[in-house]
């Protein structure tokens, strides 16, 4: 059964809109207000998937497989409920894994209505659960290889189209360690007021990985490791960007913000004009506490000092002339 056969059949959607990616999940398989709606920065889902520790997911995946087997073989509905609980836990760990929960939730409910337990669909879902502990790390390796050969601006260059065409023959990778592209269920439709976009209706986790990678190539977007945190980030703005804007805990600076401050600090510390100005500034600020000058006198001097520094920066006056001015009482 295809989720694109009718407007009331979908339970998962994914699309890109400028610098963000949107996920919608409907556990009941009925188009309307989605039960889950998430917006992430562009490519964040794929990058965070690369950073996921798949070993931590194995116990939940294996338990879900065992319980789904009990449901199919013995009509153990409690085992079916346990499957959904474990898949819900997995879905809270990564947005890709939430697809498992909504698929199995929809199937569990439909199974109770149609009484077709043990169908070919159930067997395929069982095989998928069984294979995921090995498949997920394999996807990570394949994506990493794709980054190295196609998207990494520092290794592969700035033209993903050229690199992709060099490493694929039709849809088959010349290097077996690269990700294999397959037909995916794509539509094209309005996603926001005044904006249309290709929309993915994923059936499998690999569909979302596939869509992300091909979108990077189509849009000419490269990736780079952040100079500060070492994580991958997409270059959706300047290709010369060295620091990422990946999500960070509330109250913390992004690497780009921290990096800009570090660069400014380093530049200033190496600037003899700034060093001379800063030295005199600290000395006169200490004079306030010593009672040698008033606050008003200090602020009047600092305003004049900034103007003289600007003249020195523009080479209207020399560094020695600036230092002589600073040294005057």
């Amino acid at each position: 059964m295809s989720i694109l056969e009718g407007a009331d059949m979908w339970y998962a959607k994914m699309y890109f809109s400028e610098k963000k990616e949107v996920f919608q999940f409907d556990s009941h398989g009925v188009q309307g207000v989605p039960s889950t709606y998430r917006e992430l920065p562009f490519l964040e889902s794929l990058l965070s998937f690369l950073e996921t520790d798949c070993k931590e997911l194995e116990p939940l995946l294996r338990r879900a497989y065992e319980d789904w087997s009990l449901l199919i073989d013995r009509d153990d509905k409690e085992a079916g409920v346990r499957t959904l609980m474990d898949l819900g836990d997995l879905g809270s760990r990564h947005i890709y894994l939430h697809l498992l929960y909504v698929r199995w939730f929809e199937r569990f409910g439909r199974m109770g209505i149609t009484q077709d337990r043990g169908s070919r669909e159930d067997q395929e879902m069982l095989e998928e659960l069984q294979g995921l502990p090995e498949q997920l790390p394999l996807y990570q390796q394949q994506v990493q290889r794709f980054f190295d050969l196609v998207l990494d601006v520092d290794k592969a260059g700035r033209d993903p189209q050229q690199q992709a065409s060099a490493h694929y023959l039709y849809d088959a990778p010349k290097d077996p360690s690269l990700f294999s592209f397959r037909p995916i269920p794509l539509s094209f439709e309005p996603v926001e007021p005044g904006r249309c976009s290709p929309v993915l209706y994923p059936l499998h986790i690999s569909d979302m990985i596939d869509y992300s990678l091909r979108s990077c190539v189509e849009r000419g977007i490269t990736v780079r490791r952040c100079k500060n945190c070492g994580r991958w980030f997409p270059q959706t703005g300047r290709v010369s960007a060295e620091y990422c804007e990946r999500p960070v805990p509330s109250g913390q600076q992004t690497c780009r913000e921290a990096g800009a401050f570090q660069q400014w600090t380093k530049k200033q510390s190496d600037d003899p004009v700034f060093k001379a100005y800063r030295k005199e500034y600290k000395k006169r600020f200490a004079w306030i506490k010593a009672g040698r000058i008033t606050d008003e006198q200090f602020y009047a001097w600092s305003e004049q000092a900034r103007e003289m520094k600007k003249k020195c920066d523009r080479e209207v006056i020399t560094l020695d002339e600036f230092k002589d001015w600073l040294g005057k009482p």
Side-chain angles (χ1 to χ4, degrees):
M1 178 181 63
S2 168
I3 57 174
L4 293 179
E5 287 176 357
D8 60 344
M9 303 292 283
W10 69 268
Y11 47 76
K13 296 170 69 172
M14 174 187 179
Y15 63 87
F16 298 117
S17 180
E18 296 182 329
K19 293 186 178 182
K20 68 180 180 182
E21 53 186 32
V22 177
F23 292 85
Q24 297 180 27
F25 294 100
D26 186 345
S27 304
H28 299 284
V30 179
Q31 185 170 356
V33 178
S35 56
T36 301
Y37 181 96
R38 288 278 302 280
E39 285 188 8
L40 300 172
F42 177 77
L43 211 62
E44 180 60 28
S45 62
L46 182 64
L47 300 180
S48 59
F49 170 70
L50 273 184
E51 298 161 1
T52 298
D53 185 349
C54 291
K55 286 291 183 183
E56 293 184 355
L57 308 179
E58 283 188 20
L60 289 170
L61 287 168
R62 298 197 186 283
R63 196 162 64 207
Y65 164 75
E66 293 168 0
D67 283 331
W68 194 250
S69 299
L70 289 175
L71 172 65
I72 294 173
D73 296 339
R74 305 179 189 176
D75 196 20
D76 187 339
K77 292 183 173 57
E78 289 186 1
V81 172
R82 291 197 300 271
T83 301
L84 295 181
M85 291 177 64
D86 283 336
L87 295 182
D89 189 352
L90 284 166
S92 68
R93 301 184 185 209
H94 193 276
I95 192 68
Y96 285 173
L97 300 174
H98 194 59
L99 176 63
L100 300 176
Y101 172 76
V102 294
R103 280 185 59 207
W104 265 255
F105 184 98
E106 189 275 335
R107 176 57 189 147
F108 188 54
R110 181 159 42 88
M111 191 187 300
I113 297 172
T114 58
Q115 298 298 315
D116 61 343
R117 175 176 55 85
S119 67
R120 179 58 190 163
E121 180 183 6
D122 296 334
Q123 293 297 329
E124 290 174 350
M125 294 172 76
L126 184 63
E127 292 169 4
E128 183 174 350
L129 283 177
Q130 185 180 31
L132 278 173
E134 294 183 359
Q135 195 64 49
L136 293 177
L138 178 59
Y139 288 149
Q140 289 179 323
Q141 295 168 17
Q142 291 174 337
V143 171
Q144 179 62 63
R145 186 65 172 159
F146 192 89
F147 278 15
D148 290 340
L149 296 181
V150 179
L151 298 183
D152 185 349
V153 69
D154 296 311
K155 291 183 179 179
R158 297 186 178 184
D159 192 344
Q161 286 276 1
Q162 184 179 30
Q163 295 303 323
S165 64
H167 289 93
Y168 284 83
L169 181 62
Y170 298 104
D171 62 346
K174 296 177 182 178
D175 182 337
S177 64
L178 270 174
F179 184 81
S180 294
F181 291 93
R182 296 289 183 266
I184 56 177
L186 276 178
S187 179
F188 185 77
E189 59 195 67
V191 293
E192 298 168 1
R195 184 176 183 83
C196 291
S197 174
V199 176
L200 174 71
Y201 289 82
L203 292 169
H204 307 285
I205 291 172
S206 59
D207 293 340
M208 295 183 281
I209 297 172
D210 185 314
Y211 184 39
S212 297
L213 292 177
R214 70 172 66 188
S215 295
C216 284
V217 175
E218 290 171 354
R219 296 169 61 172
I221 293 176
T222 55
V223 298
R224 168 175 280 155
R225 285 199 179 275
C226 176
K227 194 174 180 180
N228 185 49
C229 69
R231 296 189 298 168
W232 290 107
F233 70 98
Q235 295 189 298
T236 53
R238 296 180 297 107
V239 294
S240 60
E242 296 182 322
Y243 297 93
C244 76
E245 291 184 290
R246 299 278 302 280
V248 293
S250 177
Q252 293 188 15
Q253 286 184 314
T254 66
C255 290
R256 186 161 296 180
E257 292 168 338
F261 180 74
Q262 290 169 8
Q263 290 289 89
W264 180 86
T265 301
K266 184 178 184 303
K267 181 180 178 181
Q268 296 298 338
S269 64
D270 295 337
D271 180 1
V273 177
F274 178 80
K275 288 170 70 174
Y277 164 76
R278 189 65 178 168
K279 180 181 179 181
E280 188 67 24
Y281 182 97
K282 287 182 177 180
K283 183 177 74 174
R284 291 183 182 251
F285 186 80
W287 286 358
I288 300 177
K289 293 183 178 180
R292 294 183 58 183
I293 59 174
T294 64
D295 289 352
E296 291 76 12
Q297 289 173 320
F298 171 76
Y299 291 126
W301 172 88
S302 64
E303 186 174 343
Q304 291 178 322
R306 285 195 297 271
E307 291 301 319
M308 294 297 289
K309 179 181 177 299
K310 289 179 183 179
K311 289 183 179 181
C312 190
D313 288 334
R314 296 195 300 265
E315 298 183 353
V316 175
I317 60 175
T318 66
L319 176 59
D320 288 338
E321 289 174 329
F322 182 48
K323 287 181 176 180
D324 287 343
W325 182 90
L326 289 172
K328 294 179 181 178

